[in-house]
Amino acid sequence: MPSTDTSPYAPTATATAAVDPATAGIRIPGRRLTARLLPLLAEAELLDSPAGWGTAATPVGPFRLEPVRLGRDLELLAGWMNDPAVAEYWELAGPAAVTAAHVRSQLDGNGHSIPCLGVLDGTPMSYWEIYRADLDPLSHHYPARPHDTGIHLLIGDGTNRGRGLGTALLRAVANLVLDNRPRCTRVIAEPDIRNTPSVSAFLNSGFRCSAEIDLPEKRAALMIRERALRNLI
């Protein structure tokens, strides 16, 4: 029976895009490639369609990634970016147009980075960027492997910080990546080395600190979670 949940963040048929022949690289005679389909094609090819990864069971509740829609999500995201604890590291405080430009650069890009909301038990409470680390400028700063998948995240509401949520959700998202991206052998992150709560959350969720690296905007801890060790750490 179809779901009767009318919340704008209720699970929808977005996963259909992942199996639509038009987004799977199959040509349908007479079907015209439109601008709307191009981002879906890029997402399916580069990141194996996060929209269709489904819900993960976590110790803190059911969690899923919902691709950002600016018309729906901008006010929420801009509010989070203006939280001083977030702004210290994301540097996107200011009018909503600042956040919009950051997100739109991904939505209108080549598909190697997909901005998503983290929805926990039906409530959006975090922002994630799932990206191809091997296609990102980050790859110039570490020995990248094909299909390395990177993650950026922020916990939006301050009441959700400091309670272990970051650790639980990082493990869940890393598992979603490894479960749905068979070509990916490693999940990568590069939190600011000064952001000790973030670094600790990565360490507690099965990542190891491989190195400290100097990026243009920060000195970062290069965090890696290996597929081969996912059941051991």
Side-chain angles (χ1 to χ4, degrees), residues 8-34:
Y9 299 102
T12 66
T14 53
T16 306
V19 297
D20 188 326
T23 66
I26 301 173
R27 184 177 182 276
I28 302 176
R31 178 147 190 178
R32 183 168 60 90
L33 184 63
T34 66

Side-chain angles (χ1 to χ4, degrees), residues 4-165:
T4 58
D5 191 339
T6 58
S7 163
Y9 299 102
T12 66
T14 53
T16 306
V19 297
D20 188 326
T23 66
I26 301 173
R27 184 177 182 276
I28 302 176
R31 178 147 190 178
R32 183 168 60 90
L33 184 63
T34 66
R36 181 185 65 83
L37 290 177
L38 284 172
L40 297 176
L41 281 167
E43 179 186 329
E45 173 61 23
L46 295 177
L47 279 163
D48 300 307
S49 298
W53 289 358
T55 300
T58 80
V60 292
F63 179 83
R64 62 188 173 81
L65 294 172
E66 172 79 18
V68 166
R69 299 205 303 265
L70 273 179
R72 177 193 65 188
D73 304 325
L74 179 57
E75 182 178 357
L76 178 66
L77 291 175
W80 290 347
M81 293 301 182
N82 279 279
D83 181 318
V86 172
E88 180 178 2
Y89 297 106
W90 282 76
E91 299 181 348
L92 291 173
V98 175
T99 299
H102 175 79
V103 174
R104 191 172 288 114
S105 69
Q106 298 170 78
L107 295 175
D108 297 341
N110 63 8
H112 93 269
S113 181
I114 306 296
C116 298
L117 289 179
V119 181
L120 180 62
D121 204 15
T123 300
M125 46 72 65
S126 53
Y127 172 70
W128 301 74
E129 292 170 354
I130 311 298
Y131 68 98
R132 281 285 297 272
D134 59 324
L135 303 179
D136 189 81
L138 175 64
S139 65
H140 302 305
H141 299 273
Y142 83 104
R145 297 179 188 171
H147 297 284
D148 276 356
T149 303
I151 54 177
H152 297 140
L153 81 151
L154 66 87
I155 304 295
D157 186 341
T159 61
N160 286 321
R161 300 182 201 131
R163 301 195 291 119
L165 285 180

